[in-house]
């Protein structure tokens, strides 16, 4: 993921410093080149030997060491990285950088660098909530620095609250966004649906389908990477949304329809990647239905078609639909494109190898409003998400 990218990790003196070792390992595993610099306080929590061994590079501790034998070491280190990650970022170091104080290797290098900087705060909940800290963080954000918000939970001091270092996975995702993202969708509100819906028969049974949500989640991640303001409405699944996405979890098609209706007036783009259940049981039993020897019948009724409904007040909004077909793919998908007034439809046949619900890949064709059919080879869902977004950006430009 980070092939050949140069990552400089700064470590400040907080208990979460031990997690920086694993962060270094994760970046190395993803083919990044890693260097580490530490404050004097960080040495109380973790050793340079550990970090030097994991990063396979010398660790910067001191700007004036005899060994370095040069007075501009901070400039060399400041020019080297593609991104700097301060992990953990303590109240003290955040305050110093926000005030322009450069009195050690870490603060001096960060202030001398033009590379993007990601702060990963970790501290006691009251320190994090402190107005002076919050003002410093705001000042840094308004000056273009990035922050990965801490999580809530048990803190090292035994208290509970906001201040735990973010998950390392989220820090890696933010680095990915900062390094590889662009701003092609900046200012655009993109509403995406994903996953299956579940239509309850009774408290333990439901009607659903095999959708994993992978395509919708990949689209949401790709849209965030391009600077969009993304809302993801998803049916049940076990995927974790990419950081920065507004995530709304639903169960039934009706819940999904309601959430989409609520977000739609604001949206510039609607992407219906969800496999919405077309039917639901007419009655959902409040108690578990017991078996008998006769069997039982479920009376089912139609769910509303969310895309069709959304087309009633479409205006200049771009609508992208998906079409799952196991025969007559193009013909049937063209009918959906016309009927639901779509700008783009993504067609796939789950019976094809490597295609469809649970795979990480998909083989699709795209049909646009002018009914041009473009066939794509087998692609990973994240590559495909990028191709779909390229099309969407083109459509948004023609609408402007
Ligand atoms: N869709 C929707 N609401 C529904 C059913 C489908 O918004 N109740 C959307 C899907 O999210 C997808 C598109 O409509 O973007 C096409 O869905 P698909 O299941 O392929 O087709 P259907 O229109 O449901 O028709 P059929 O099941 O007969 O193929």
């Amino acid at each position: 993921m980070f092939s050949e990218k140069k990552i400089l990790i700064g470590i400040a003196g907080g208990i979460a410093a031990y997690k920086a070792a694993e962060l270094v390992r994760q970046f190395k595993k993803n083919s990044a080149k890693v260097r580490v610099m530490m404050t004097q306080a960080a040495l109380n929590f973790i050793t340079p030997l550990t970090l030097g061994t994991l990063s396979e590079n010398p660790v910067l501790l001191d700007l004036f060491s005899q060994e370095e034998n040069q007075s501009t070491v901070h400039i060399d280190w400041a020019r080297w990285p593609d991104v700097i990650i301060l992990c953990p970022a303590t109240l003290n170091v955040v305050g110093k950088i926000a005030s322009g104080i450069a009195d050690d290797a870490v603060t001096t290098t960060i202030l001398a660098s033009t590379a993007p900087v990601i702060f990963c705060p970790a501290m006691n909940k009251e320190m994090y909530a402190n107005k002076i800290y919050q003002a410093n963080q705001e000042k840094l954000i308004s000056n273009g620095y990035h922050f990965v918000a801490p999580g809530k939970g048990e803190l090292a001091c035994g208290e509970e609250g906001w201040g735990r270092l973010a998950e390392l996975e989220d820090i890696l995702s933010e680095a990915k966004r900062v390094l590889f993202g662009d701003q092609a969708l900046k200012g655009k509100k993109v509403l995406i649906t994903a996953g299956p819906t579940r239509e309850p028969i009774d408290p333990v049974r439901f009607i659903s389908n095999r959708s994993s949500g992978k395509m919708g989640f990949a689209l949401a991640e790709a849209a965030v990477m391009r600077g969009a303001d993304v809302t993801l409405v998803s049916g049940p699944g076990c995927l974790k949304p990419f950081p920065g996405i507004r995530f709304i979890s639903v169960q039934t098609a009706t819940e999904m329809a309601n959430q989409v209706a609520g977000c739609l007036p604001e949206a510039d783009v609607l992407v219906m990647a969800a496999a919405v259940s077309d039917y639901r049981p007419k009655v959902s039993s409040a108690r578990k239905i017991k078996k008998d020897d006769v069997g039982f019948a479920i009376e089912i009724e139609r769910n509303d078609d969310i895309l069709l409904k959304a087309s009633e007040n479409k205006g200049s909004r771009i609508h992208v639909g998906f079409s799952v077909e196991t025969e007559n793919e193009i013909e049937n998908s063209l009918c959906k494109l016309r009927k639901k007034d779509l700008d783009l439809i993504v067609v796939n046949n789950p019976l094809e190898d490597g295609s469809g619900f649970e795979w990480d890949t998909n083989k699709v064709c795209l049909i646009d409003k002018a009914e041009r059919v473009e066939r794509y080879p087998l692609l990973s869902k994240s590559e495909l998400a990028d191709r779909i977004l390229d099309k969407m950006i083109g459509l948004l430009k023609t609408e402007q």
Side-chain angles (χ1 to χ4, degrees), residues 272 274 276 278 304-307 321-325 336 340:
M272 282 294 303
V276 186
D278 289 319
D304 282 343
D305 189 307
I306 303 173
L307 255 184
F322 276 69
S323 176
V324 178
E325 292 290 348
K336 290 177 198 172
K340 303 191 190 192

Side-chain angles (χ1 to χ4, degrees), residues 270 272 307-308 311 314 318-323 333 336-346 367-370 395:
L270 168 66
M272 282 294 303
L307 255 184
L308 188 65
S311 69
K314 184 170 178 288
I318 303 295
H319 284 190
V320 181
F322 276 69
S323 176
S333 303
K336 290 177 198 172
L337 178 93
R338 293 177 198 136
K339 185 172 166 202
K340 303 191 190 192
D341 191 14
L342 301 177
D343 298 281
L344 193 67
I345 192 157
V346 184
I367 312 179
D368 67 11
K369 214 179 173 57
L395 291 168

Side-chain angles (χ1 to χ4, degrees), residues 40-276:
Q40 287 301 308
L43 298 177
N44 295 307
F45 298 94
I46 188 163
T47 70
L49 180 63
T50 304
L51 295 154
T53 308
L54 292 173
S55 66
E56 299 176 76
N57 270 313
V59 175
L60 181 67
L61 303 173
D62 181 4
L63 292 179
F64 308 108
S65 90
Q66 293 301 314
E67 286 148 48
E68 292 286 352
N69 204 20
Q70 49 169 316
S71 54
T72 58
V73 62
H74 61 294
I75 301 299
D76 297 339
W77 277 66
R79 297 291 168 268
W80 179 79
D82 295 307
V83 64
I84 301 178
I85 301 174
L86 185 61
C87 175
T90 56
L91 179 136
N92 184 44
V93 174
V94 168
K96 281 204 267 185
I97 296 172
S99 314
I101 294 172
D103 64 352
D104 61 16
V106 171
T107 50
T108 309
T109 305
I110 288 177
L111 283 161
S113 183
T114 52
V117 181
I118 301 170
F119 287 82
C120 311
M123 60 195 78
N124 169 268
K125 64 174 183 176
E126 300 303 347
M127 293 167 90
Y128 183 65
N130 187 296
K131 284 187 182 148
I132 296 171
Y133 170 81
Q134 288 295 327
N136 284 334
Q137 176 173 300
E138 228 170 88
K139 184 174 173 187
L140 288 170
I141 290 172
S142 63
N143 279 289
Y145 291 95
H146 308 273
F147 277 75
V148 184
K152 192 180 182 186
E154 194 185 334
L155 305 172
C157 54
E159 293 183 356
E160 286 264 339
W162 292 98
R164 281 174 67 86
L165 183 72
E167 297 298 324
L168 298 186
E169 202 187 340
D170 291 345
I171 298 173
L172 274 118
S173 296
E174 179 64 4
K176 186 176 164 195
R177 195 188 65 75
V178 167
L179 284 167
F180 304 109
D182 65 38
Q183 296 296 309
L185 284 171
K186 192 169 171 60
K188 297 293 177 199
K189 291 194 163 56
V190 178
L191 174 59
I192 300 174
T193 65
T197 62
R198 280 183 186 173
E199 313 300 323
I201 297 169
D202 69 15
V204 295
R205 304 180 179 96
F206 50 80
I207 297 174
S208 190
N209 57 64
R210 296 169 61 129
S211 171
S212 62
K214 284 179 181 169
M215 194 62 240
F217 276 63
L219 278 158
E221 173 176 340
V224 168
M225 291 283 287
R226 292 176 178 215
D229 181 346
V230 180
T231 301
L232 176 61
V233 180
S234 176
C238 48
L239 300 174
K240 193 176 166 218
F242 194 75
I245 291 170
R246 185 161 86 97
F247 184 67
I248 302 172
S249 164
V250 295
Q251 292 285 321
T252 64
T254 306
E255 283 170 29
M256 184 172 278
N258 290 340
Q259 289 296 341
V260 168
C263 300
L264 209 52
E266 298 260 285
D268 298 294
V269 179
L270 168 66
V271 184
M272 282 294 303
V276 186

